[in-house]
Amino acid sequence: MKLQELLAKTGWKLVTKLDDKEITGVVISDMLSDVMTNAKPGELWLTVQTHKNTISAANLVDISAIVVTHGKEIPADTVALANRFRVNIISCELATFELVRKLVGLGIGA
Amino acid sequence: MTETKPLNVSLSCLREILQAEVLCGEELLGGNAEGIYASDLMSDVLAYGNAGSILLTGLCTKQAVITAFLALFKAVVFIRGKLPTPEMIAFAKEKHLVVFMTETDMFEACLKLGYLAGVVQSDTLQQCEFEDKHVSHHEFMIEGSDFANSGMVSTSVKQILQSIGYDPMLIRRVAISTYEAEMNVVMHAHRGKVFLTAGDREIVVVIDDEGKGIPDIDLAMQRGFSTATEEQRALGFGSGMGLPNIKKSTDDLNISSVVGKGTRLEAHFLVQQPPSQ
């Protein structure tokens, strides 16, 4: 599934410009080094981190989008940097666990 | 080692070997070089250089051209892509000096010419495989505690490697290692320098920092060990996976550190598939 389709199916909000990428799976962590080690290209990264450093990490391991859970506000400088490096950020009100359930229901990461 | 033969090769042959660009004196390329002198210290050139030689130098100032002229040299080769000023070229033209520029660095240029002169044996050279035509060097600075710009060096490194056309999985390993090392400098050091050397056979990243150093490198290499502060952990750093990640992503890793001075990390990545460009 591609990002645009996921957004259409869930109604989750994209806070950056869209760079429509194929979603290959999911990685969950709030520790950047864990993401650097474990994320595979094309995965969605579920996190509560919203500061600028997430963008370079996301860009370096080529994840398809950062999904910020629990409806956390995303600072404007993070969004600006994400747009510069074509990193997608999705904002979602759900808690991480609920979000995972939803993704699994849609067949992502199965 | 074989005995050193006197060198007597045409300047156009030297140009081929060094893959140099001719900046002036095209009409003189049929002439022969009788020797080679490599130095950045002009007094040494004047003291020891023989007439009829060519000068290999990284000193890209008018003094280099004047010295070559005074020492009765035939040509000047500026190494590592250094470009002389129009004024220097005008001077060289007037004095009938050939001026070359090569992207090759001093060591490699000397080895290639050493082979020509019979100082280095050809089998040694084959081992070295100087087919490495695209070696590029880049340097970056990292400021300690600068969380706002952190990650930018590794992002630039990735962009450079992508533009050269390396295999994406290799780029990923370099990017991950550079990112972790960059974050270590931001978190634990005052400042650091990053040197990237990207060649056809190997990519090397060296990160040299001024900072508190690592008292026990073996301990620091353990998964989960971290000296990050609470603030840094809140930002998602300090999971104690940085150095282990680097270790996992590199083909060869050397770390040396002096407590109170700083740490030097040297990461090597073998290039299996030559870059596509």
Side-chain angles (χ1 to χ4, degrees):
Chain A
M1 190 187 297
K2 285 193 137 186
L3 275 176
Q4 195 153 27
E5 191 187 340
L6 175 74
L7 293 170
K9 281 185 173 167
T10 57
W12 296 338
K13 195 173 75 188
L14 182 75
V15 298
T16 55
K17 290 179 207 149
L18 176 72
D19 182 14
D20 203 12
K21 292 175 183 162
E22 186 67 34
I23 302 165
T24 59
V26 181
V27 60
I28 308 173
S29 183
D30 299 322
M31 302 302 276
L32 302 186
S33 285
D34 285 349
V35 175
M36 298 303 285
T37 326
N38 300 315
K40 290 172 207 73
E43 287 187 333
L44 286 176
W45 172 19
L46 276 48
T47 185
V48 293
Q49 297 289 1
T50 56
H51 60 91
K52 273 170 78 175
N53 289 110
T54 54
I55 304 307
S56 43
N59 182 34
L60 289 171
V61 291
D62 300 305
I63 60 135
S64 51
I66 300 173
V67 184
V68 178
T69 62
H70 297 273
K72 263 186 86 174
E73 273 304 313
I74 299 149
D77 60 348
T78 302
V79 174
L81 195 66
N83 280 329
R84 201 172 125 203
F85 289 103
R86 302 170 67 123
V87 171
N88 298 296
I89 306 178
I90 294 168
S91 165
C92 177
E93 293 296 328
L94 294 176
T96 307
F97 180 72
E98 293 303 323
L99 203 146
V100 168
R101 249 208 317 226
K102 182 109 191 174
L103 288 172
V104 172
L106 289 167
I108 289 173
Chain B
M1 286 290 156
T2 54
E3 199 181 316
T4 309
K5 295 175 220 148
L7 184 75
N8 211 355
V9 290
S10 71
L11 294 176
S12 58
C13 176
L14 289 176
R15 179 188 59 177
E16 281 301 306
I17 291 166
L18 295 175
Q19 299 192 327
E21 197 179 312
V22 183
L23 302 178
C24 76
E26 189 97 35
E27 70 284 359
L28 301 167
L29 291 183
N32 279 2
E34 290 144 44
I36 290 159
Y37 200 86
S39 181
D40 299 329
L41 295 172
M42 295 304 112
S43 295
D44 285 2
V45 178
L46 290 171
Y48 305 111
N50 294 324
S53 298
I54 65 164
L55 172 64
L56 281 174
T57 187
L59 179 78
C60 195
T61 66
K62 198 174 174 189
Q63 296 313 314
V65 192
I66 294 173
T67 303
F69 164 65
L70 293 175
L72 303 175
F73 277 29
K74 289 193 172 171
V76 183
V77 183
F78 291 107
I79 56 158
R80 220 185 261 272
K82 293 185 182 178
L83 272 179
T85 61
E87 190 200 354
M88 288 156 68
I89 292 181
F91 179 85
K93 256 188 197 159
E94 189 192 310
K95 305 298 180 194
H96 305 290
L97 274 167
V98 182
V99 177
F100 296 106
M101 184 277 280
T102 176
E103 295 291 338
T104 309
D105 68 20
M106 187 66 109
F107 176 69
E108 202 177 310
C110 287
L111 268 182
K112 284 176 173 174
L113 296 175
Y115 169 50
L116 193 71
V119 182
V120 181
Q121 285 178 1
S122 62
D123 53 346
T124 319
L125 196 75
Q126 271 158 13
Q127 280 169 18
C128 302
E129 284 198 44
F130 282 106
E131 293 313 308
D132 226 348
K133 287 175 192 158
H134 312 104
V135 179
S136 61
H137 302 272
H138 304 268
E139 204 177 312
F140 309 89
M141 294 293 296
I142 304 170
E143 282 301 318
S145 308
D146 182 10
F147 280 93
N149 291 306
S150 60
M152 288 301 114
V153 171
S154 30
T155 302
S156 304
V157 166
K158 182 180 175 180
Q159 282 168 341
I160 289 168
L161 299 180
Q162 277 174 331
S163 71
I164 299 174
Y166 288 100
D167 167 46
M169 289 319 285
L170 172 66
I171 295 177
R172 186 182 160 83
R173 291 198 289 128
V174 180
I176 290 173
S177 308
T178 310
Y179 179 81
E180 294 291 4
E182 181 182 358
M183 294 322 304
N184 283 346
V185 175
V186 173
M187 285 192 289
H188 304 298
H190 307 308
R191 67 192 65 81
K193 269 188 182 173
V194 182
F195 303 91
L196 166 70
T197 307
D200 287 349
R201 299 173 52 78
E202 192 183 41
I203 297 171
V204 184
V205 178
V206 175
I207 296 174
D208 223 337
D209 76 39
E210 294 165 37
K212 61 185 180 189
I214 306 171
D216 185 341
I217 292 174
D218 287 339
L219 183 62
M221 293 301 295
Q222 276 180 20
R223 285 160 27 130
F225 177 83
S226 174
T227 56
T229 62
E230 282 308 315
E231 289 78 13
Q232 291 165 351
R233 284 172 208 253
L235 290 172
F237 299 110
S239 65
M241 289 306 293
L243 285 175
N245 271 358
I246 298 175
K247 179 85 185 160
K248 203 175 108 182
S249 304
T250 51
D251 292 308
D252 190 23
L253 175 67
N254 302 308
I255 302 174
S256 54
S257 189
V258 179
V259 173
K261 290 234 163 176
T263 301
R264 181 188 157 90
L265 182 148
E266 193 181 304
H268 294 255
F269 307 86
L270 297 178
V271 178
Q272 308 284 355
Q273 279 169 262
S276 57
Q277 187 186 297

